Amino acid sequence: TIGGLNKPYGVAVDEKGQIVVAEGHGQCVSIFTASGEKMRTFGTFGVEGSAPGQFTNPHGVAIDCDGNLLVCDSHRVQKFSPQGDFLMSVGTRGSKPLQFNFAMDISVNPKNKRIYVCDFNNHRVQILNTDFSCFGSLGSG
């Protein structure tokens, strides 16, 4: 059993079987081996932050088609390399395209590589291209 998680909200598994867990109250994302050993953590455990690579209530996580880690974090989505280096982010609080009112969950379509983000309080799913530009949305936001 994997122990020591602080309110896990999101989970994804990469092609190597590594387990990625968003720790909502831990303000971090942890990566475990398939056998449950903690390999590394992104963010500072227990410390909220809005700078690149920091988290404020991370939720959904996904692995994109290039193996990068995508993390829903309050009103933005952050992208990290497979090695854990911060690459980019998108989003601020709002209701326009590329703005979020609580990015809750995320998924990637492996066929067209588009990224789908549940924009919880805007009652929509925003669809992003791999460069985080807006492709469109579903719902009433």
Side-chain angles (χ1 to χ4, degrees):
T1 326
I2 297 173
L5 295 174
N6 193 348
K7 300 215 177 179
Y9 285 135
V11 64
V13 179
D14 71 10
E15 62 184 26
K16 297 176 189 171
Q18 295 174 348
I19 304 160
V20 180
V21 180
E23 297 187 50
H25 286 205
Q27 311 307 340
C28 64
V29 173
S30 297
I31 300 180
F32 297 85
T33 64
S35 61
E37 295 175 48
K38 188 178 276 190
M39 296 171 49
R40 64 184 171 274
T41 298
F42 304 178
T44 305
F45 183 82
V47 178
E48 286 187 16
S50 59
Q54 295 180 324
F55 299 102
T56 303
N57 207 13
H59 268 68
V61 291
I63 310 297
D64 74 8
C65 296
D66 297 320
N68 297 310
L69 173 63
L70 306 172
V71 183
C72 289
D73 180 40
S74 291
H75 310 298
R76 66 180 175 170
V77 175
Q78 296 193 71
K79 182 189 279 190
F80 298 87
S81 73
Q83 296 75 34
D85 299 316
F86 173 81
L87 298 175
M88 64 192 310
S89 70
V90 65
T92 57
R93 186 178 184 137
S95 59
K96 295 180 180 175
L98 302 178
Q99 293 182 328
F100 301 95
N101 192 351
F102 201 68
M104 178 70 91
D105 201 9
I106 191 164
S107 185
V108 177
N109 181 330
K111 290 186 179 184
N112 62 22
K113 299 185 179 184
R114 291 201 178 99
I115 302 162
Y116 297 77
V117 182
C118 291
D119 189 359
F120 184 72
N121 287 321
N122 283 326
H123 309 282
R124 66 182 176 186
V125 173
Q126 291 201 57
I127 306 167
L128 311 179
N129 295 305
T130 57
D131 65 356
F132 280 0
S133 61
C134 182
F135 177 79
S137 67
L138 306 169
S140 62

